[in-house]
Each structure stands twice: as structure tokens, then as C-alpha cells.
Amino acid sequence: MPLRITSAPVSGIKKRKQLSQSRPHASPFSSHARRKATVRSPGGVKSDDAGDDLDPLPDLGVSRHICESAPVDNVVAALQHIRGNMFEELPARAGLNSTQIAQVLNFRRSLPPLVSVAHVHTLIDAPTKVEREIMALVFSGRIRRLIVPGRGNDAAGLGDCLVLTEEWEKLVRDSALDSQLKEKFLGVLSRIRNTSALPGTAFSPPEYIALVRAGFVVSSSTLAKGSSSVPSLPNLPPTASPVVPASRSGSSSQQNDIDPASHSRFQAGTLFLSLPNTGPYLKLLGAGRDHLLVLLNKSKYGEAPLYLLRDRWDGAIESNKSFSAAKRARGEYSGLLPGKTKKWKELYGMSFRWIVEEAIGAGLIEIFDTGSVGPGVRCL
């Protein structure tokens, strides 16, 4: 009788022993307290410039970067430099269509050739020399002084301004005024040099109305709202009244039919010289100043290096550097087009250096030496 009754050992079938379950290992984070996931608010996210606001910038004194880098040495050169560098050239890839480009160029061309005296002092750091040269140029008839107050207060305007006489005369000759009125107005300008006030008897009421509509004359009430100082009236030499030919007797009779109240108002009131489109110029200037201060106040202490402020002014635009060109060639994003930034959409391409010089002259900011990161700019 065989000893092996079953065939299990022969077939090689063996029962597997149940493996004892391994003891789970403790997590290394089990001893830490659990916290609920929280969502950070957008206000808590710091900007890219947060690293620059840890400490105030070192101040080594007032910087002479602006006056030392300005390529001018006299008042006339300063006026031409300021007028020619107010705006930047249109870039090749501006991101503007033909209509927008035409609007930008036409707006630039329509602005008056005004330059503030404070801006000239910013470029030439010699106050006594500059004032003597300005007075000599005014009495020689090379330039003219003009008071341009702001809308509501003097700080919002330009204050004491300078205009080249040749540019002023060009504006008058290119205007839509009558040819006789142009010559008469230029003759009055040649007789009054160091003042911007006109007596009420210099022109007839229709001529005053034409000059006001053209933008060359404003009423005293307009300036009284913003200017704290009113210039004195000039003493004009008497001029002979022009002889009216018989062919124009009809037009003279129409002039005599003007309301006597308006005639007395022109004679009693004080009128001041002005330039066309001064209002849009002041509006653009105010927008540029406000935008510069907003960019500067993004820093914690209201100060920033000059190069950083320039980058903020230009915006995150694409550049002409090799890596940016390589990104564009690969179809990758390399920055905004200039036409999409506020500098071009609202400020018509205003130059960064020009607005910094203007803000320094207006007493809104100051520039100082840091000794490490170049010139710094601070709000006042």
C-alpha cells in the first residue's frame, strides 16, 4: 500500500503562507500641525520692484547729471534744444495705424513753441548768467516773455515762458487773420517787448474779437483766475488812425454799429498776449507730470533710480536687442508694441528726459547721486 495517498506533493502544489502585513512607516510630516489652504489676496502680491524698496536709496547730494549732460551753453540753444526734444521719433514698429500716426504728428505740430524759464535754468546751472542773457535777448527783440498761468493756480501752469520771436511771427503769418490785421499786430508786438499786456485802445473791438478767436489774445479775467501777479500795461506811442477808403465805407459803417457796451469793455479791460492751442499744451503737460509722479510713487519711499523710472515710463515694450529680435523671429512674445502704452496713446510719445527736466524745473521732483545705481529721483 503506497504511503502517498494524495497527488499534491507529486504535482508540486504548495500552499503559500500568508505574509504578515508590513507595518506602515510613520510620515515625516505627521508631527507638524495641519493647516487649511488659504488663498492670498492680490494686494499681498509684491511687484517686481519690491526688492528695490527694502531700504531707501543712499543720498550723496544733489546730482548735476541733467545740466552736465545737456548739450547747451546759452539761452537760445537751450530754447531750440527743449523745443526739438519734447517728443521721441516714431519707432519702426509703433503699433499705430495710419490714422493714429497722423493724429500724433498733427497734434505735435499744433502745439505752441513755449519754453518755461525754469526749464532753461534746469539745463544751465547759472542763474545770474541766464537772467542777464534773457533780459539782453528780450530788449534786443530776439525772444519774447509770456506769462502762462495754470487752470486754477500758478503751479499747474508754466509761469514765466520764453518764445523765439521768429517762431511767434511765423505763427501770426500762418494764421487765418486778415493781412492788414497781421501787420498791425506784428507792429504792436515790436513796440512792446518786456510785457505781455495789451491796452484796450490798441485795436478795435472787431480786431480784438478776431485775435481772441485766433488764440493770440486772452482776456484779463482768464488770467486772473490762475495768476497772482498781473503785468503792468505798456505805454504805446500814439499811432495815426488809418484812412478808410471809400470802397470800404460799408465795412466801416458795420464796425460803428457795434454795441457801445462791448466797445467800452474792450477799452476798460486788460488783454494779454497768448499763443494758439495753449490749453491743449497745458493739458498735455499736466498729464505728463501726473503720470511721472504716479510711476515714482510706486516705490515705497517715493524714490527710484533714474534707469528704473525710465523703464516704467517706456513700459514693457519690445527692444531692438538680439535676444528680443530672436524671440520675434521664433514667434514668441517679446514685449508690447509702443503704441499700446500710455506714453504713446495719451502723451503722444513724450520724451522721458524732457518731462524729468520739466518736473525738476517745476519743483515736483529732485535728482540726487546714489553712488551705486546712478542718479536717483525723489518726489518733493
Side-chain angles (χ1 to χ4, degrees):
M1 181 177 179
L3 297 176
R4 297 179 179 178
I5 300 175
T6 62
S7 61
V10 178
S11 61
I13 299 175
K14 297 181 180 179
K15 293 183 179 181
R16 295 181 179 179
K17 296 181 180 180
Q18 293 182 356
L19 299 177
S20 60
Q21 296 180 356
S22 60
R23 186 178 180 181
H25 297 283
S27 173
F29 303 101
S30 59
S31 60
H32 295 275
R34 294 185 178 182
R35 296 179 181 177
K36 292 184 178 180
T38 57
V39 180
R40 293 184 179 181
S41 60
V45 179
K46 295 183 179 180
S47 61
D48 297 337
D49 303 331
D52 300 331
D53 297 337
L54 296 179
D55 296 316
L57 293 175
D59 189 355
L60 302 182
V62 179
S63 174
R64 294 177 53 85
H65 171 74
I66 297 296
C67 58
E68 290 179 352
S69 59
V72 296
D73 56 356
N74 57 74
V75 174
V76 176
L79 296 179
Q80 296 173 349
H81 174 77
I82 295 171
R83 286 277 300 132
N85 293 273
M86 182 177 180
F87 298 101
E88 295 183 358
E89 295 291 337
L90 283 171
R93 289 171 50 88
L96 302 172
N97 55 33
S98 59
T99 303
Q100 294 172 333
I101 292 176
Q103 291 176 352
V104 170
L105 297 179
N106 290 333
F107 181 82
R108 291 181 178 184
R109 193 180 299 111
S110 65
L111 293 179
L114 292 171
V115 176
S116 64
V117 176
H119 200 154
V120 177
H121 281 287
T122 303
L123 297 184
I124 306 176
D125 191 12
T128 304
K129 174 186 174 182
V130 170
E131 288 298 330
R132 288 178 178 176
E133 188 175 356
I134 288 176
M135 294 305 300
L137 292 172
V138 168
F139 282 108
S140 65
R142 182 72 186 278
I143 63 176
R144 296 194 59 86
R145 302 188 81 137
L146 186 65
I147 303 298
V148 182
R151 299 177 178 179
N153 55 3
D154 287 334
L158 289 175
D160 197 3
C161 295
L162 302 175
V163 183
L164 290 174
T165 304
E166 55 187 13
E167 293 184 346
W168 195 316
E169 293 179 354
K170 185 177 183 300
L171 287 177
V172 175
R173 298 188 185 280
D174 295 342
S175 64
L177 295 174
D178 184 70
S179 58
Q180 294 184 355
L181 181 56
K182 291 180 182 179
E183 297 300 329
K184 183 178 180 180
F185 183 62
L186 292 177
V188 172
L189 290 180
S190 63
R191 283 179 284 156
I192 56 172
R193 295 181 178 179
N194 196 23
T195 182
S196 59
L198 289 175
T201 57
F203 299 96
S204 63
E207 292 174 341
Y208 270 124
I209 292 175
L211 291 173
V212 169
R213 290 178 178 176
F216 292 104
V217 174
V218 293
S219 63
S220 58
S221 60
T222 304
L223 296 184
K225 296 179 181 179
S227 179
S228 58
S229 59
V230 179
S232 59
L233 288 173
N235 295 323
L236 292 179
T239 57
S241 58
V243 179
V244 180
S247 60
R248 301 188 60 186
S249 58
S251 61
S252 62
S253 61
Q254 293 178 359
Q255 295 179 3
N256 294 331
D257 295 338
I258 297 177
D259 186 10
S262 62
H263 183 74
S264 61
R265 184 178 70 252
F266 279 110
Q267 289 184 345
T270 303
L271 299 175
F272 294 88
L273 296 175
S274 180
L275 288 177
N277 297 322
T278 303
Y281 182 85
L282 292 179
K283 183 178 180 180
L284 177 66
L285 177 63
R289 289 175 176 176
D290 294 341
H291 184 50
L292 183 68
L293 295 180
V294 168
L295 296 179
L296 193 55
N297 286 325
K298 286 185 177 181
S299 300
K300 181 178 179 181
Y301 297 98
E303 58 185 21
L306 187 63
Y307 74 89
L308 178 60
L309 188 60
R310 180 185 292 107
D311 292 341
R312 293 176 181 175
W313 178 268
D314 294 336
I317 60 174
E318 60 182 19
S319 62
N320 295 326
K321 296 182 179 180
S322 58
F323 62 87
S324 181
K327 285 185 176 181
R328 291 197 300 269
R330 294 192 300 266
E332 299 178 2
Y333 175 78
S334 60
L336 292 174
L337 292 175
K340 305 301 180 182
T341 61
K342 185 174 182 178
K343 172 183 174 181
W344 287 94
K345 289 193 300 184
E346 300 181 13
L347 302 178
Y348 300 92
M350 182 181 292
S351 172
F352 170 74
R353 181 184 175 95
W354 188 91
I355 192 61
V356 168
E357 295 171 355
E358 185 64 38
I360 292 175
L364 301 177
I365 62 174
E366 68 173 354
I367 186 170
F368 59 95
D369 285 327
T370 61
S372 56
V373 292
V377 184
R378 178 189 298 118
C379 287
L380 294 178

